[in-house]
């Protein structure tokens, strides 16, 4: 670990010219997708990270694009901190990226209570993001998605799940009914974070102090930013959205509520498609089991669309909480084009081929001996962290894919 940490420190000095580091430590919050270390400077702390998978590299690129789009003026409108990109350098076949480090505690959505002090700050955070001017996306070269575009994208997810032959007819009928309800898809696109979840929020003194992972920043459906709240339960969702409605000035929306719950249900479809695409029988069986339980829940309901809670109070959140996070790898060419259709759900796994597991940074004794501030990226990170794969193309979406409006 010491060798890896020193290697990352050396990469940071290469990425940020003139960087003076007085201490370095491993980033305890690192996951399997990144190797990361935190450097202490005389003025601040920075974090340097190297992606271990191709999907992580794609997310890192998109996040850098999103952070760059947030100008000083836009950041001044946000009641929380946003990391800043400081520089990057080569690290084997990938790159190391240095950004400002934001401190803060993490929380589990399932631990939220409707009367928690944090609820108001969550509503404030959502309202502030959605109030950002559209020019942030337009001038930053980010995705601009219409309500029709959003409807087409989720239609495609449902169609692919149905084509797998694992989707129960009851669930397919439910999702088709949602897609055909034209009133649900008549909304005004706003600036959205795009990948918001409890994992992307930092907390200090019962307030949101920082927001991470700006890879999904775009113009899109605000419902996509609140779907994760269903993990905490209906009472928490209602508490946050009640305050959000007052802060945003748009009032409570039954359509937004229904779309967000629908997006949350579609996480099961994503997990199923991940198993199908990677030929993983265990994942498929897991997803099929969750779909069977969803059928049981739906059979107890007779509510028309839009529904307040598609699968019934806390049971829905318990079911969706069992869906593992998909950590797949995107193709090199999907780095930005795929974001146009995948940001709503983080990163879709529709056309992803798995890569073999690779070692992270294999910086040996040479990197350790180089120390902080010596050598270049090639000198200190000779490990090959990712392996390029062939370009993967998605089929274009035609107007015929759009479901017809329900006449019921």
């Amino acid at each position: 670990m010491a060798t890896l940490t020193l290697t990352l420190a050396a990469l940071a000095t290469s990425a940020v010219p003139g960087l003076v580091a007085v201490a370095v430590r491993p980033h305890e919050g690192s996951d399997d997708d990144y190797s990361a270390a935190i450097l202490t400077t005389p003025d601040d702390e920075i974090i340097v990270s190297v992606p271990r998978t191709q999907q992580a590299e794609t997310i890192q690129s998109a996040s850098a694009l999103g952070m760059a789009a947030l100008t000083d003026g836009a950041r001044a409108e946000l009641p929380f901190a946003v990391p800043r990109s400081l520089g990057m350098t080569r690290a084997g076949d990938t790159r190391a990226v240095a950004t400002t480090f934001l401190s803060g505690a993490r929380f589990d959505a399932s631990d939220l209570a409707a009367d928690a002090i944090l609820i108001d700050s969550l509503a404030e955070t959502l309202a502030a993001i959605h109030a950002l001017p559209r020019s942030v996306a337009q001038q930053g070269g980010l995705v601009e998605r219409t309500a029709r575009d959003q409807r087409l994208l989720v239609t495609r997810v449902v169609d692919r799940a149905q084509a797998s032959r694992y989707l129960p007819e009851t669930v397919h009928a439910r999702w088709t009914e949602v897609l055909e309800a034209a009133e649900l898809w008549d909304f005004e696109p706003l600036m959205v974070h795009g990948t918001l979840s409890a994992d992307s929020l930092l907390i200090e003194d019962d307030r949101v102090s920082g927001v991470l992972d700006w890879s999904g920043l775009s113009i899109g459906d605000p419902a996509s930013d609140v779907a994760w709240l269903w993990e905490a339960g209906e009472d928490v969702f209602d508490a946050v959205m009640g305050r959000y409605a007052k802060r945003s000035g748009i009032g409570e929306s039954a359509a937004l509520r229904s779309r967000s719950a629908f997006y949350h249900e579609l996480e099961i479809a994503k997990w199923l498609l991940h198993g199908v695409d990677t030929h993983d029988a265990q994942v498929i069986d897991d997803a099929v089991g969750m779909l069977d339980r969803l059928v049981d829940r739906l059979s107890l309901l007779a509510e028309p669309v839009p529904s307040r809670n598609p699968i019934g109070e806390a049971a829905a959140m318990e079911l969706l909480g069992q869906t593992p996070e998909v950590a797949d790898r995107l193709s090199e060419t999907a780095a930005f084009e795929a974001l146009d259709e995948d940001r709503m759900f983080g990163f879709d796994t529709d056309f992803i081929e798995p890569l073999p597991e690779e070692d992270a940074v294999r910086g040996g004794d040479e990197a350790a001996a180089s120390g902080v501030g010596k050598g270049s990226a090639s000198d200190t990170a000779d490990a090959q962290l990712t392996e390029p794969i062939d370009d993967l193309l998605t089929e274009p979406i035609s107007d015929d894919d759009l479901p017809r409006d329900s006449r019921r």
Side-chain angles (χ1 to χ4, degrees), residues 63-71 75 85 140:
S63 189
L65 186 64
M67 287 187 290
L70 291 171
T71 61
R75 290 168 183 261
S85 295

Side-chain angles (χ1 to χ4, degrees), residues 5-6 20 24 27 70 75 80 94 104 134 162 166 181 183 204 213-216 233 249 260 293 318 323 384 386 400:
T5 301
L6 290 175
V20 177
V24 60
H27 182 220
L70 291 171
R75 290 168 183 261
F80 51 79
T94 184
R134 295 170 64 95
Q162 173 67 2
Y166 290 107
E183 65 274 17
E204 286 186 359
D213 184 13
W214 291 86
S215 59
S260 67
R293 293 191 291 276
E318 179 181 356
T323 309
Q384 188 172 6
T386 58
D400 294 336

Side-chain angles (χ1 to χ4, degrees), residues 16-327:
V16 186
L19 176 67
V20 177
V22 298
V24 60
R25 66 183 187 275
H27 182 220
E28 300 299 336
S30 297
D31 55 29
D32 293 336
D33 291 331
Y34 297 92
S35 297
I38 300 171
L39 282 74
T40 301
T41 71
D43 302 317
D44 207 347
E45 287 190 324
I46 72 170
I47 180 171
V48 58
S49 58
V50 176
R52 289 173 168 165
T53 68
Q54 194 149 9
Q55 184 192 25
E57 183 175 325
T58 299
I59 294 175
Q60 190 183 64
S61 297
S63 189
L65 186 64
M67 287 187 290
L70 291 171
T71 61
D72 289 341
R75 290 168 183 261
E77 300 299 318
L78 300 174
F80 51 79
V82 177
R84 292 181 183 273
S85 295
L86 300 176
M88 68 175 63
T89 189
R90 294 297 305 173
D93 282 347
T94 184
R95 70 297 181 85
V97 175
T99 64
T100 53
F101 176 71
L102 302 183
S103 61
R106 301 298 184 100
F107 72 98
D108 193 318
S110 62
D111 294 334
L112 278 175
D115 59 353
I117 300 175
L118 180 60
I119 295 296
D120 190 63
S121 183
L122 290 174
E124 180 185 28
T125 296
L126 288 164
I129 293 173
H130 296 168
L132 286 171
R134 295 170 64 95
S135 59
V136 170
Q138 295 165 346
Q139 296 176 7
L142 304 179
V143 172
E144 300 180 52
R145 190 179 296 115
T146 66
R148 178 177 174 277
D149 294 334
Q150 194 79 2
R151 192 177 176 198
L152 284 168
L153 293 176
V154 293
T155 298
R156 182 178 177 183
V157 173
V158 173
D159 287 346
R160 289 204 64 232
Q162 173 67 2
S164 73
R165 302 188 179 223
Y166 290 107
L167 188 65
E169 184 54 38
T170 300
V171 178
H172 181 246
R174 151 86 191 151
W175 289 349
T176 299
E177 186 179 7
V178 174
L179 290 170
E180 291 179 345
E183 65 274 17
L184 294 185
W185 305 98
D186 183 16
F187 66 88
E188 179 185 0
L190 302 174
M191 286 296 304
V192 297
H193 179 276
T195 56
L196 200 65
S197 70
D199 291 337
S200 57
L201 301 176
L202 299 174
I203 308 300
E204 286 186 359
D205 299 325
D206 293 315
R207 292 190 58 80
V208 176
S209 60
V211 178
L212 307 175
D213 184 13
W214 291 86
S215 59
L217 185 62
S218 59
I219 295 174
D221 187 354
S224 65
D225 276 350
V226 302
W228 67 277
L229 288 170
W230 288 106
E231 298 175 20
E234 184 176 13
D235 56 344
V236 172
F237 182 93
D238 288 341
V240 174
M241 296 311 294
R243 290 169 173 80
Y244 167 84
K246 293 178 181 179
R247 287 184 173 276
S248 64
I250 62 175
E252 296 192 48
S253 168
L256 182 147
R257 180 191 182 92
S258 294
R259 291 198 312 278
S260 67
F262 174 51
Y263 295 154
H264 197 50
E265 290 180 20
L266 285 185
E267 291 298 319
I268 302 178
K270 283 184 60 188
W271 186 234
L272 171 65
L273 293 175
H274 170 65
V276 171
D277 292 340
T278 58
H279 309 288
D280 191 324
Q282 184 175 356
V283 172
I284 293 174
D285 290 343
D286 188 37
V288 168
M290 286 188 287
L291 286 169
D292 288 342
R293 293 191 291 276
L294 179 56
V295 170
D296 293 338
R297 300 293 180 186
L298 291 176
S299 66
L300 300 177
L301 301 175
E303 296 182 69
V305 174
S307 164
R308 274 185 65 80
N309 189 358
I311 48 181
E313 299 183 4
M317 306 319 124
E318 179 181 356
L319 176 63
L320 270 295
Q322 301 172 29
T323 309
E325 180 180 356
V326 177

